[in-house]
Amino acid sequence: MPATSTTPAPAAETAKLPLGGLSALFAAAFTAVMTELLPAGLLPQMSQALRVPQGAVGFLVTGYAVASFLAAIPVTAALRGLRRRPVLVGVLAGFALLNAVTALSSSYPLTFVARLLAGVLGGTLWAMLVGYAARMVAEERRGRAVAIVSAGITVALCLGIPAGTALAGTFGWRAPFALLAAGALALVAWVSFKVPDFPGEPAATRLPLRRVTTLPGIRTVLAVTLVVLLAHQAVYTYLAPLAGGVARTSVVLLVFGVATVAGIWITGVLIDRRLRATLLAALVLVAAAMLALGLAGRSAAVLLVAVALWGAAFGGAPTLLQTALIGASGPANADVATSLQTTVYNAGIAAGSLTGGVVLETAGAGALPWTALPLVAAALVAVTAARRHAFPSPSPAG
């Protein structure tokens, strides 16, 4: 499958990374994650203001995720013919409006509807971002561009959510949503000036969804994505009981978060020259971390070192998988391919959380790493075998 777009990147942008535009996409990823997960840190305040139990506030996160899961593929397919920048601007303007509604609302039903609509926008955005970044740069810089955009996810998780929670503690829970609305509105202007526009796909030339799924390598990348996320989430969701009595959960999460930042940085350096080798190394590290947690996870030192290795390896894994998918689909089909990956990603998260919960209740926290280990090993075997299309070996020349 050719790895070039029908609309090549401007010549000025092939020489160096267009950091202004990529930073805008980074900020869009940051905004989407903050919009999705911020209520999880504000349960008591929102519960009191909306006059519902805290569990109902938690459903605001669930509703967003379900809407994103359901909307990613059909909405992306429906918008394929439209120019890319107006779609991106429209999504960000929608985030601004819906976060403003959330900040002002005192009605739980209204807030829930706003969250569902935001979830639809989120699914659309995640299907666009990676392909957009790939079309902005030359092929040899594609992985680094994707890494810059994906870093918005990590920064939101490690810094944004804690900062939003702290802001709510000082100024009330409405303040961070109002700030998100203002930021999304400013981002509309930033994208309009700094992100290049690209044409949509004419109906006569676009590949149907079913054809995209049959391109060489696509199904393999999607399968590896599902297995890796299932393994990761089965353990990560239950880090608290796994670390119980050994180390404070907050410390373990901090170590994991800092390590993911390091992992993204390392991935950005290596991905364009050594994608396959970097992904294999990441999976080996995750497998080693699961083995260490299974054998000696009751030691604080082993626990923290294993979590650090796991975080560094997993920090770059989504970027590596996204870049591999674009290599298999080509930038012209990237939006549809990444919409499929968004759906698979969410399915992996849901299945992993469910699997981990069942294992925790039936066999205890100590069995969680042993549940993830064979899944990671299966992903490692799949990547090793898929050296032609999904995760190709570099050519002798490069």
PDB file of all heavy atoms in Angstrom, residues 111-124:
ATOM      1  N   THR A 111     -26.609  18.296  31.531  1.00  0.00           N
ATOM      2  CA  THR A 111     -25.181  18.008  31.576  1.00  0.00           C
ATOM      3  C   THR A 111     -24.884  16.678  30.896  1.00  0.00           C
ATOM      4  O   THR A 111     -23.901  16.546  30.154  1.00  0.00           O
ATOM      5  CB  THR A 111     -24.697  17.964  33.036  1.00  0.00           C
ATOM      6  OG1 THR A 111     -25.009  19.209  33.676  1.00  0.00           O
ATOM      7  CG2 THR A 111     -23.200  17.736  33.111  1.00  0.00           C
ATOM      8  N   PHE A 112     -25.747  15.688  31.127  1.00  0.00           N
ATOM      9  CA  PHE A 112     -25.525  14.373  30.530  1.00  0.00           C
ATOM     10  C   PHE A 112     -25.624  14.448  29.003  1.00  0.00           C
ATOM     11  O   PHE A 112     -24.802  13.845  28.288  1.00  0.00           O
ATOM     12  CB  PHE A 112     -26.544  13.376  31.076  1.00  0.00           C
ATOM     13  CG  PHE A 112     -26.219  11.944  30.757  1.00  0.00           C
ATOM     14  CD1 PHE A 112     -25.302  11.240  31.531  1.00  0.00           C
ATOM     15  CD2 PHE A 112     -26.799  11.301  29.681  1.00  0.00           C
ATOM     16  CE1 PHE A 112     -24.986   9.918  31.241  1.00  0.00           C
ATOM     17  CE2 PHE A 112     -26.490   9.983  29.381  1.00  0.00           C
ATOM     18  CZ  PHE A 112     -25.584   9.293  30.167  1.00  0.00           C
ATOM     19  N   VAL A 113     -26.597  15.188  28.491  1.00  0.00           N
ATOM     20  CA  VAL A 113     -26.736  15.347  27.038  1.00  0.00           C
ATOM     21  C   VAL A 113     -25.510  16.054  26.460  1.00  0.00           C
ATOM     22  O   VAL A 113     -24.977  15.670  25.409  1.00  0.00           O
ATOM     23  CB  VAL A 113     -28.022  16.117  26.692  1.00  0.00           C
ATOM     24  CG1 VAL A 113     -28.044  16.505  25.218  1.00  0.00           C
ATOM     25  CG2 VAL A 113     -29.250  15.277  27.021  1.00  0.00           C
ATOM     26  N   ALA A 114     -25.029  17.080  27.170  1.00  0.00           N
ATOM     27  CA  ALA A 114     -23.826  17.787  26.718  1.00  0.00           C
ATOM     28  C   ALA A 114     -22.632  16.841  26.666  1.00  0.00           C
ATOM     29  O   ALA A 114     -21.804  16.897  25.744  1.00  0.00           O
ATOM     30  CB  ALA A 114     -23.528  18.976  27.640  1.00  0.00           C
ATOM     31  N   ARG A 115     -22.547  15.945  27.640  1.00  0.00           N
ATOM     32  CA  ARG A 115     -21.440  14.993  27.671  1.00  0.00           C
ATOM     33  C   ARG A 115     -21.549  13.975  26.526  1.00  0.00           C
ATOM     34  O   ARG A 115     -20.542  13.592  25.927  1.00  0.00           O
ATOM     35  CB  ARG A 115     -21.433  14.261  29.013  1.00  0.00           C
ATOM     36  CG  ARG A 115     -21.166  15.154  30.210  1.00  0.00           C
ATOM     37  CD  ARG A 115     -19.744  15.593  30.273  1.00  0.00           C
ATOM     38  NE  ARG A 115     -18.852  14.439  30.345  1.00  0.00           N
ATOM     39  CZ  ARG A 115     -17.525  14.519  30.293  1.00  0.00           C
ATOM     40  NH1 ARG A 115     -16.944  15.685  30.145  1.00  0.00           N
ATOM     41  NH2 ARG A 115     -16.783  13.439  30.377  1.00  0.00           N
ATOM     42  N   LEU A 116     -22.757  13.536  26.212  1.00  0.00           N
ATOM     43  CA  LEU A 116     -22.928  12.609  25.096  1.00  0.00           C
ATOM     44  C   LEU A 116     -22.495  13.260  23.782  1.00  0.00           C
ATOM     45  O   LEU A 116     -21.784  12.650  22.970  1.00  0.00           O
ATOM     46  CB  LEU A 116     -24.386  12.164  24.996  1.00  0.00           C
ATOM     47  CG  LEU A 116     -24.903  11.233  26.089  1.00  0.00           C
ATOM     48  CD1 LEU A 116     -26.376  10.922  25.848  1.00  0.00           C
ATOM     49  CD2 LEU A 116     -24.094   9.933  26.155  1.00  0.00           C
ATOM     50  N   LEU A 117     -22.920  14.506  23.571  1.00  0.00           N
ATOM     51  CA  LEU A 117     -22.545  15.211  22.352  1.00  0.00           C
ATOM     52  C   LEU A 117     -21.034  15.442  22.304  1.00  0.00           C
ATOM     53  O   LEU A 117     -20.417  15.333  21.241  1.00  0.00           O
ATOM     54  CB  LEU A 117     -23.296  16.541  22.262  1.00  0.00           C
ATOM     55  CG  LEU A 117     -24.817  16.422  22.093  1.00  0.00           C
ATOM     56  CD1 LEU A 117     -25.466  17.801  22.136  1.00  0.00           C
ATOM     57  CD2 LEU A 117     -25.147  15.723  20.778  1.00  0.00           C
ATOM     58  N   ALA A 118     -20.442  15.761  23.461  1.00  0.00           N
ATOM     59  CA  ALA A 118     -18.989  15.924  23.513  1.00  0.00           C
ATOM     60  C   ALA A 118     -18.285  14.613  23.176  1.00  0.00           C
ATOM     61  O   ALA A 118     -17.227  14.608  22.532  1.00  0.00           O
ATOM     62  CB  ALA A 118     -18.567  16.430  24.892  1.00  0.00           C
ATOM     63  N   GLY A 119     -18.868  13.489  23.592  1.00  0.00           N
ATOM     64  CA  GLY A 119     -18.291  12.195  23.261  1.00  0.00           C
ATOM     65  C   GLY A 119     -18.291  11.931  21.760  1.00  0.00           C
ATOM     66  O   GLY A 119     -17.333  11.378  21.214  1.00  0.00           O
ATOM     67  N   VAL A 120     -19.361  12.325  21.086  1.00  0.00           N
ATOM     68  CA  VAL A 120     -19.411  12.200  19.627  1.00  0.00           C
ATOM     69  C   VAL A 120     -18.279  13.009  18.990  1.00  0.00           C
ATOM     70  O   VAL A 120     -17.573  12.537  18.080  1.00  0.00           O
ATOM     71  CB  VAL A 120     -20.778  12.664  19.090  1.00  0.00           C
ATOM     72  CG1 VAL A 120     -20.766  12.716  17.564  1.00  0.00           C
ATOM     73  CG2 VAL A 120     -21.886  11.733  19.583  1.00  0.00           C
ATOM     74  N   LEU A 121     -18.097  14.235  19.478  1.00  0.00           N
ATOM     75  CA  LEU A 121     -17.013  15.074  18.964  1.00  0.00           C
ATOM     76  C   LEU A 121     -15.657  14.446  19.281  1.00  0.00           C
ATOM     77  O   LEU A 121     -14.737  14.496  18.459  1.00  0.00           O
ATOM     78  CB  LEU A 121     -17.088  16.476  19.584  1.00  0.00           C
ATOM     79  CG  LEU A 121     -18.331  17.298  19.243  1.00  0.00           C
ATOM     80  CD1 LEU A 121     -18.287  18.637  19.969  1.00  0.00           C
ATOM     81  CD2 LEU A 121     -18.432  17.510  17.735  1.00  0.00           C
ATOM     82  N   GLY A 122     -15.534  13.851  20.476  1.00  0.00           N
ATOM     83  CA  GLY A 122     -14.276  13.221  20.842  1.00  0.00           C
ATOM     84  C   GLY A 122     -13.911  12.072  19.922  1.00  0.00           C
ATOM     85  O   GLY A 122     -12.765  11.943  19.487  1.00  0.00           O
ATOM     86  N   GLY A 123     -14.890  11.219  19.615  1.00  0.00           N
ATOM     87  CA  GLY A 123     -14.625  10.119  18.694  1.00  0.00           C
ATOM     88  C   GLY A 123     -14.210  10.614  17.323  1.00  0.00           C
ATOM     89  O   GLY A 123     -13.319  10.043  16.674  1.00  0.00           O
ATOM     90  N   THR A 124     -14.828  11.699  16.873  1.00  0.00           N
ATOM     91  CA  THR A 124     -14.467  12.293  15.584  1.00  0.00           C
ATOM     92  C   THR A 124     -13.056  12.859  15.619  1.00  0.00           C
ATOM     93  O   THR A 124     -12.269  12.686  14.677  1.00  0.00           O
ATOM     94  CB  THR A 124     -15.468  13.403  15.230  1.00  0.00           C
ATOM     95  OG1 THR A 124     -16.801  12.886  15.289  1.00  0.00           O
ATOM     96  CG2 THR A 124     -15.202  13.957  13.846  1.00  0.00           C
TER      97      THR A 124
END
